[in-house]
Amino acid sequence: DDDEAMNAARRALRQKRNSLLPVARLPPETLRHIFAFCSDNDYPLMENRRSNHMGWLAVTHTCRRWRDVALEHSGLWARISYRLNRAWTYAFAERAQTMPLAV
C-alpha cells in the first residue's frame, strides 16, 4: 500500500534526522544520570484514568534510543509509589528486575 510505504519512509527520515542531533551522541551512562535526576524530581501520578501524569516516564516516549536506555536501567524502576495503579506497579516491579524495591 502506498500510504504504508510513505509512512515508513517518513519514519526512516525522522530517525535519520534525529540521529544527527547532538543529544543523540550522549552516551547511555549520561542519559541514565539525566533520567535518574528526572525520576527524582518528576514522579509519575497514575492512580486512575482521571489522574494521569507521566512525569519522568515521558523520556521513554521521546525516541527509541531513550526508551531502550531507560528500560535497560533497572534502577529507574525500583522506586514504586502508592500513586501508581496496579498495572504500573507491576510494570515497575518487572522492569526493576533484580534491584531491591523501595515502596
Side-chain angles (χ1 to χ4, degrees), residues 54-71:
M54 290 293 290
W56 71 267
L57 291 173
V59 303
T60 66
H61 293 247
T62 302
C63 67
R64 169 58 55 193
R65 181 166 180 262
W66 284 23
R67 180 175 181 76
D68 291 344
V69 169
L71 290 175

Side-chain angles (χ1 to χ4, degrees), residues 6 8 11 15 21 29 40-41 48 51 53 57-60 63 67 70 76 80 85 89 92 95-96:
M6 185 63 85
R11 278 192 304 276
Q15 287 173 349
L21 295 171
E29 298 81 13
D40 288 343
N41 292 289
N48 55 51
S51 61
H53 170 69
L57 291 173
V59 303
T60 66
C63 67
R67 180 175 181 76
L76 284 175
I80 300 175
N85 63 31
T89 299
F92 269 59
R95 292 172 183 175

Side-chain angles (χ1 to χ4, degrees), residues 36-50:
F37 176 81
C38 292
S39 74
D40 288 343
N41 292 289
D42 193 13
Y43 204 79
L45 173 62
M46 310 289 247
E47 293 175 308
N48 55 51
R49 288 188 182 131
R50 285 177 274 143

